[in-house]
Amino acid sequence: MSLLYPRLLPNETERRFRMLHELSPGQHQDMVANHSPRAVYAATGGRRVSREELDQLRDSVLRAARDQGFPTSRSTVQRSAFDRKTAQILHEHCFMVPGEASQRQIWAFLSLALLPDVCAWRWPADSDGRYVADRFKGTDLTRHGFARLWTRAHVLHDPKEDDPYNLLDVLGESDLDQIMARRSALAASPALVRSIVRAHRDDRSERFVSSRDVFRESLMRLLRLTAFLDLDSASEPELGHLVRRVRAEARAVLAS
């Protein structure tokens, strides 16, 4: 059965986001809560997540953060490792269906009530002491600190693999964002995204041009194809064949 998560009401979201700025990073743990009287749940669609389950989720994500230097260290490698592990934790243990995951106020609860200290560590304030609202409020789920990770894991999860989450390791942050930012053309089809990432992983022909250049050129070509091909109706093997063909064409053009 799917779980239903607290949805932080808009006024409470704003109040907690202001509080985030009023406290120093070392005090953000004082904001941690596994419930809120200013949160609601969906009426149907599953059972409400328990406070104990929310505590377990916090413990798992907190452990992943501590493994990567929380709260003092935050290198690029550590951030990437945290993102990969947390994406798997959120997808594997939240038992959240896509409809529930599309609710912005759920992610506001997770980042501003359950895990404000971890989210502020991963996405610190800028030089003016301001935190980016999208990372905490859920105004844009493709930029939210945790929603973006759940979405990646959901899209790239492949139960046929020995490690169902191995595709999370293939692309770096900026390259994966090149796909996920094209929500209507590419990211709307999980099968297509998996095919693109799998083709990049399996391509060992790195003579003359870099695989990253091939990746970006092939994305441009796929985007043009989506204008007149209905890729939603294609099977995953068909998508895999198409992506590999386009990638080979991109490599040939770049090598010429």
Side-chain angles (χ1 to χ4, degrees), residues 38-248:
R38 297 183 179 89
V40 298
Y41 292 83
T44 61
R47 70 167 177 85
R48 294 185 179 185
V49 66
S50 68
R51 296 186 185 184
E52 291 75 16
E53 287 168 323
L54 288 171
D55 286 338
Q56 291 170 6
L57 177 60
R58 173 175 167 79
D59 288 344
S60 296
V61 175
L62 190 60
R63 193 177 309 117
R66 285 174 174 158
D67 286 346
Q68 301 306 324
F70 172 89
T72 56
S73 182
R74 190 175 47 248
S75 69
T76 300
V77 172
Q78 288 171 321
R79 292 198 304 266
S80 295
F82 169 78
D83 284 357
R84 196 277 187 206
K85 181 61 179 177
T86 302
Q88 181 173 346
I89 290 170
L90 292 171
H91 189 257
E92 212 168 27
H93 299 295
C94 281
F95 299 103
M96 194 185 299
V97 297
E100 184 78 352
S102 69
Q103 302 303 309
R104 297 179 299 170
Q105 298 310 119
I106 287 174
W107 297 107
F109 174 86
L110 292 181
S111 57
L112 290 169
L114 190 66
L115 293 157
D117 49 347
V118 176
C119 198
W121 167 76
R122 176 60 181 87
W123 299 102
D126 61 21
S127 57
D128 295 326
R130 303 297 303 172
Y131 291 92
V132 177
D134 285 347
R135 304 299 186 186
F136 293 86
K137 294 183 184 181
T139 46
D140 180 353
L141 294 185
T142 64
R143 288 172 50 79
H144 186 273
F146 297 122
R148 54 189 267 283
L149 300 180
W150 183 92
T151 302
R152 288 180 187 180
H154 178 70
V155 169
L156 294 176
H157 179 258
D158 188 351
K160 299 187 293 297
E161 298 273 359
D162 292 336
D163 174 6
Y165 295 97
N166 81 88
L167 293 179
L168 286 169
D169 294 327
V170 175
L171 294 174
E173 178 89 12
S174 61
D175 286 337
L176 189 54
D177 281 346
Q178 291 289 318
I179 304 174
M180 302 307 293
R182 273 81 174 192
R183 281 173 280 184
S184 58
L186 299 177
S189 169
L192 177 58
V193 176
R194 288 193 297 271
S195 296
I196 293 170
V197 177
R198 198 180 291 121
H200 185 79
R201 179 197 64 187
D202 297 341
D203 190 350
R204 296 292 181 264
S205 304
E206 295 189 2
R207 294 180 61 190
F208 308 116
V209 291
S210 74
S211 59
R212 189 178 196 187
D213 289 342
V214 174
F215 167 76
R216 300 214 168 185
E217 175 66 22
S218 62
L219 275 192
M220 293 172 58
R221 291 168 173 268
L222 282 170
L223 282 169
R224 289 196 290 268
L225 285 175
T226 60
F228 56 89
L229 286 181
D230 180 14
L231 299 183
D232 288 338
S233 63
S235 66
E236 195 148 354
E238 290 171 333
L239 289 172
H241 176 75
L242 172 66
V243 170
R244 289 191 298 272
R245 178 174 62 79
V246 170
R247 191 177 175 92

